[in-house]
Amino acid sequence: DVKVTQSSRYLVKRTGEKVFLECVQDMDHENMFWYRQDPGLGLRLIYFSYDVKMKEKGDIPEGYSVSREKKERFSLILESASTNQTSMYLCASSLQAPNQPQHFGDGTRLSIL
Amino acid sequence: AQTVTQSQPEMSVQEAETVTLSCTYDTSESDYYLFWYKQPPSRQMILVIRQEAYKQQNATENRFSVNFQKAAKSFSLKISDSQLGDAAMYFCAYTLAGNQFYFGTGTSLTVIP
């Protein structure tokens, strides 16, 4: 089974802090994704990566950056956390083929105070 | 951008009965892929069923089946013999090439014993 592991299930940070969310997958997937999930808005793509050191902006990249130095690891960075970034963050990975589904981590519930 | 619409924020079904969740999408492409994902409360999102647009036959996975109407751009999920474990948030998703997925806003399904 594919395992996508997010480093924290719950995280509380303060406004202005730099926040790192880590995601690791164990199935050699080329694609990795970061989503934000908010009630009534579904999942919105922040960034995705189709290869090491490659990244593409999604629908809501403002205030976020990403890093993919190794194939199995995809990090989401909140440069200067703000209260409107309080949300559930989901990481996913998939093979680089259109009929392949995404595999998700458990999610990180991030609160910015 | 592609859009995926789930018009039913909440649905309920009696245990052992059948329920249908609706999903419509907007695309000008002819080849694409559709997915239904299930997110149980506080648990990981998992794939329920997938459909390739070039296939006319509706996908089926045990008690889960889809009604894919390509001309109408409709992709509904039917759950037969509903069980308590089916209670979850269900998301419909579209992808053209497997690098960007577009999700609906979700339908929260309650199963009544």
Side-chain angles (χ1 to χ4, degrees), chain A residues 76-113:
Chain A
L76 179 69
I77 304 152
L78 284 65
E79 297 291 343
S80 177
S82 63
T83 55
N84 63 11
Q85 292 178 310
T86 291
S87 187
M88 170 70 86
Y89 290 87
L90 295 178
C91 175
S93 72
S94 70
L95 289 169
Q96 207 158 65
N99 65 339
Q100 294 299 307
Q102 296 185 311
H103 299 265
F104 287 85
D106 287 337
T108 296
R109 187 163 293 281
L110 175 65
S111 295
I112 307 296
L113 305 180

Side-chain angles (χ1 to χ4, degrees), chain A residues 5 9 17 23 25 34 42 44 46-47 51-52 58 60 69 79 87-88 100 102-103 107-108 111:
Chain A
T5 303
R9 197 73 192 269
E17 280 193 71
C23 176
Q25 50 95 4
W34 274 107
R44 293 180 292 167
I46 304 172
Y47 270 97
D51 201 352
V52 175
I60 52 164
E69 296 296 320
E79 297 291 343
S87 187
M88 170 70 86
Q100 294 299 307
Q102 296 185 311
H103 299 265
T108 296
S111 295

Side-chain angles (χ1 to χ4, degrees), chain A:
Chain A
D1 270 359
V2 177
K3 184 76 172 171
V4 179
T5 303
Q6 294 185 230
S7 53
S8 304
R9 197 73 192 269
Y10 300 94
L11 204 55
V12 180
K13 296 291 182 180
R14 297 211 171 270
T15 303
E17 280 193 71
K18 191 168 186 176
V19 181
F20 293 86
L21 302 185
E22 306 287 345
C23 176
V24 177
Q25 50 95 4
D26 67 355
M27 283 303 291
D28 205 34
H29 284 172
E30 296 88 359
N31 295 338
M32 294 190 76
F33 307 80
W34 274 107
Y35 292 94
R36 174 175 170 161
Q37 182 179 9
D38 298 290
L41 296 178
L43 275 70
R44 293 180 292 167
L45 181 65
I46 304 172
Y47 270 97
F48 70 96
S49 169
Y50 53 89
D51 201 352
V52 175
K53 296 191 186 294
M54 305 304 290
K55 61 184 179 185
E56 293 284 344
K57 291 181 180 179
D59 298 319
I60 52 164
E62 297 78 19
Y64 303 94
S65 63
V66 291
S67 172
R68 195 167 180 199
E69 296 296 320
K70 293 184 178 181
K71 190 175 185 179
E72 67 271 19
R73 186 180 297 270
F74 192 37
S75 303
L76 179 69
I77 304 152
L78 284 65
E79 297 291 343
S80 177
S82 63
T83 55
N84 63 11
Q85 292 178 310
T86 291
S87 187
M88 170 70 86
Y89 290 87
L90 295 178
C91 175
S93 72
S94 70
L95 289 169
Q96 207 158 65
N99 65 339
Q100 294 299 307
Q102 296 185 311
H103 299 265
F104 287 85
D106 287 337
T108 296
R109 187 163 293 281
L110 175 65
S111 295
I112 307 296
L113 305 180

Side-chain angles (χ1 to χ4, degrees), chain A residues 4 9 31 33 35 37 40-43 45 48 57-59 90 94-95 97-102 104-106, chain B residues 1 33 35 37 39 42-47 50 52 89 91 95-106:
Chain A
V4 179
R9 197 73 192 269
N31 295 338
F33 307 80
Y35 292 94
Q37 182 179 9
L41 296 178
L43 275 70
L45 181 65
F48 70 96
K57 291 181 180 179
D59 298 319
L90 295 178
S94 70
L95 289 169
N99 65 339
Q100 294 299 307
Q102 296 185 311
F104 287 85
D106 287 337
Chain B
Y33 301 83
F35 303 82
Y37 287 90
Q39 186 181 40
S42 301
R43 291 180 61 188
Q44 199 175 58
M45 181 131 32
I46 57 173
L47 176 70
R50 78 183 90 174
E52 291 90 345
M89 183 72 82
F91 292 95
T95 188
L96 179 62
N99 51 4
Q100 277 201 296
F101 286 71
Y102 297 91
F103 286 81
T105 51

Side-chain angles (χ1 to χ4, degrees), chain B residues 61-73:
Chain B
E61 289 284 346
N62 301 314
R63 297 182 296 107
F64 298 87
S65 61
V66 299
N67 183 5
F68 174 49
Q69 302 285 331
K70 192 172 184 179
K73 298 178 185 176

